[in-house]
Amino acid sequence: MGARRTIRLEDYLLAVAEICESSGARAMTGLVADRLQVANGTASMALQTLAQAGWVEHIPYEGVILTDVGERRFQNVLRRQRLIERFLLQTVGEHGLEAAHRQAREIESVVSEELIGLIERFLRNSIQDAENEPQV
């Protein structure tokens, strides 16, 4: 069995966004807890922290929804993950999209903005290189 990874606040943010998107409603604490495989109390404390940070709006017994600030943070995390995914697929693509997605989600929080910029530049240059290749 693999080691259990640390669940970050961004993981809760992603879970809230995914639940709200799929259900069209607020994310209930129990659903967030189930998605992240944590106790309801653990999820409740994390959602309170997100609310204090201004990332979610919490209404007791109705659940949470992303605020504008939370939505921007969610979009930034998602952008970083997608760039890492594309980089992994392009450089070590034999593992497939699912593996790249899982790895990107795991490492996104420890990748610096500087490295994200380098990855973005690498991907942009590789697209330009492909466009400039002679047609056979």
Side-chain angles (χ1 to χ4, degrees):
M1 181 188 284
R4 178 111 170 106
R5 75 181 188 91
T6 301
I7 298 176
R8 321 172 289 122
L9 287 178
E10 283 83 357
D11 294 320
Y12 286 93
L13 190 70
L14 292 169
V16 168
E18 291 166 356
I19 291 168
C20 289
E21 185 176 313
S22 66
S23 70
R26 290 177 176 270
M28 301 300 292
T29 302
L31 290 174
V32 174
D34 289 347
R35 169 121 354 154
L36 296 174
Q37 300 176 340
V38 298
N40 281 356
T42 302
S44 180
M45 287 190 308
L47 293 175
Q48 287 173 14
T49 301
L50 291 180
Q52 290 168 353
W55 291 0
V56 298
E57 175 188 291
H58 178 254
I59 297 178
Y61 307 105
E62 291 186 29
V64 296
I65 193 166
L66 297 181
T67 62
D68 289 342
V69 172
E71 178 67 29
R72 284 192 300 276
R73 179 69 185 146
F74 165 71
Q75 292 298 329
N76 185 51
V77 170
L78 205 57
R79 176 187 152 276
R80 291 168 53 89
Q81 285 182 2
R82 296 300 173 256
L83 285 168
I84 295 166
E85 275 177 17
R86 286 178 45 213
F87 177 78
L88 290 173
L89 285 170
Q90 190 162 336
T91 57
V92 290
E94 71 272 5
H95 297 291
L97 182 59
E98 187 175 316
H101 177 73
R102 188 174 51 255
Q103 291 299 314
R105 201 163 188 162
E106 291 284 327
I107 67 172
E108 176 273 325
S109 66
V110 296
V111 174
S112 69
E113 278 301 318
E114 181 181 6
L115 183 53
I116 290 293
L118 292 171
I119 289 170
E120 197 167 25
R121 189 168 66 219
F122 171 83
L123 292 170
R124 188 173 36 251
N125 289 341
S126 65
I127 289 170
Q128 289 173 349
D129 290 346
E131 290 173 352
N132 293 331
E133 286 183 9
Q135 299 297 316
V136 180

